[in-house]
Structures are given as C-alpha cells and as structure tokens.
Amino acid sequence: MSKIGKIEKKTNTRFLNFYEMEAIHRDGRVSPYYVSSRAKEIDQLKAVTGQNNPDGVILYGVYGEEKDKVVLIRQYRFPLGGYVYEFPAGLVEPGEDMLSAAIREMYEETGLNFTPKEAGSYSRPFFTTVGMTDESCGTVYGYCSGEPTNAHQEASEEIQVVIADRNECRRILREENVAIMCAYMLMHFIASEGDPLDFLNAE
C-alpha cells in the first residue's frame, strides 16, 4: 500500500497553500507529490488528521412559487481567464456550521434569503478534485426568496446572479463553461418533476 512520508509546506497564504509530500509508492519508489489545500498548517491536512471537515459549501437553491427555477451565478474565474456558471458557494469560516455558512454565502453572493432543507447524508462533505487538493465541500439544499442583487458582494468578486428555468439550464449545459459539480446538479434539476428537492424526503 502506498503511504506518505515527510511533508513540507511551500507557501503561506490566506486562502490556499501548497504542500510537497514524499509519496512512497507500493513498489517502494519515492517521488514528490504536490498538493493544494485550504489547510493553514501541515497538521491540519486531511491526510494527517484523517478527518473530513468541510472547507466550503455549495448551495442548491430553488426559486419561485412553482419551484421551477434554480439560482446560479456566472462568475469570472482567473484560472480560466473568463466566466463560468456555478452554484453559489463559499468557505466555511472558523466556528461556523455549514447551514450558517450557506445562509450567509447566499445572501452575500446573490442578495437572496436562503431557507435550508434537511438533507441528512446528502449534505455531508464530499471531496472535489482529489488529484490536486484535499478540499471537501458539503451541498446545502434549500429555497430562495427575495430579489437578486450584487450589492453585498466583495470588491474582489465579479458575479452575475442568474435565475434559470429548465430551458435556460439546458442551454447553459450546451453552450457555456460550467463547473462540474454545478453541471451534475443541473442535470438533476432538468430531470426532476415538481419540487426538485423532493428526493430529500426519502433521506
């Protein structure tokens, strides 16, 4: 079985850090392996703690009296040099639980009020891009109300709020850049009938 030897922290930044791991392969070979992480220190890496505490939340927000629209954002992302469609999302702050983070992030990014729905294990944190990061995020499902605005966004954010029905979601999947987690959830939204969150009732 492969294992990890020594770990060296390479950067010291606020939101993301870079670590070099000594990867000891199953055949005995040793090579460097580079990992990006939200962890501030080595002892907080998930490979060290063995725990899966959520770094962030992704917000699946249903909108409208008929529950026939979903809340998206179209955000400029520097790694892409352009815009990508995503669900609203953000980091869980120290001492904050996922539901509180979800309500706060939805308001900050879209101006909408967010009422989470109990989702059981569907909201537990799952890993994002495991080949390069130990980041994990939980999805919080719920209902949105109010009028969208970007008045509460940070100056560093360039976000457009999008309220999309199923036809617009189909177009977005055909024509636009879309984050993969958002894409999977849009496929679910398109395929659902009635309240898209009814599947949570069985959890």
Side-chain angles (χ1 to χ4, degrees):
M1 177 179 170
S2 301
K3 59 183 180 180
I4 299 167
K6 65 181 181 181
I7 304 173
E8 183 179 351
K9 185 180 180 184
K10 295 291 189 178
T11 62
N12 187 29
T13 65
R14 181 181 176 188
F15 294 113
L16 191 66
N17 282 295
F18 193 54
Y19 295 85
E20 181 179 334
M21 293 180 170
E22 182 183 49
I24 304 172
H25 300 273
R26 60 180 181 170
D27 62 1
R29 289 182 303 111
V30 177
S31 65
Y33 197 101
Y34 299 100
V35 177
S36 296
S37 178
R38 303 289 185 186
K40 304 293 187 187
E41 301 297 339
I42 292 172
D43 63 3
Q44 298 171 359
L45 289 166
K46 292 182 175 67
V48 174
T49 67
Q51 298 177 352
N52 182 14
N53 296 317
D55 298 291
V57 287
I58 301 165
L59 315 177
Y60 187 156
V62 174
Y63 187 87
E65 291 185 7
E66 302 299 320
K67 299 181 175 62
D68 58 351
K69 297 179 179 65
V70 68
V71 179
L72 304 174
I73 59 173
R74 180 176 180 265
Q75 183 166 197
Y76 184 90
R77 290 292 196 179
F78 288 99
L80 304 181
Y83 291 91
V84 62
Y85 281 80
E86 307 173 62
F87 276 94
L91 297 179
V92 178
E93 295 181 351
E96 189 176 41
D97 60 57
M98 287 203 323
L99 295 185
S100 298
I103 293 168
R104 174 182 55 76
E105 286 289 349
M106 182 67 82
Y107 185 74
E108 289 175 0
E109 293 195 352
T110 71
L112 297 173
N113 299 313
F114 185 59
T115 303
K117 179 171 180 172
E118 174 61 39
S121 63
Y122 290 130
S123 276
R124 74 184 186 91
F126 295 103
F127 295 102
T128 56
T129 310
V130 292
M132 60 179 289
T133 180
D134 66 352
E135 181 186 60
S136 68
C137 295
T139 303
V140 180
Y141 305 83
Y143 303 101
C144 292
S145 61
E147 293 299 320
T149 176
N150 61 5
H152 310 291
Q153 296 171 11
E154 296 180 11
S156 60
E157 294 176 320
E158 188 173 338
I159 296 174
Q160 300 164 1
V161 184
V162 177
I163 308 295
D165 61 15
R166 288 177 172 85
N167 285 334
E168 177 62 4
C169 289
R170 290 186 182 93
R171 185 200 69 78
I172 289 169
L173 287 173
R174 286 195 308 267
E175 301 175 9
E176 305 287 353
N177 291 328
V178 185
I180 191 167
M181 291 176 286
C182 177
Y184 286 140
M185 288 188 279
L186 287 184
M187 294 174 200
H188 167 268
F189 175 72
I190 290 168
S192 65
E193 296 181 0
D195 185 343
L197 303 186
D198 275 348
F199 77 100
L200 297 174
N201 297 333
E203 173 59 11

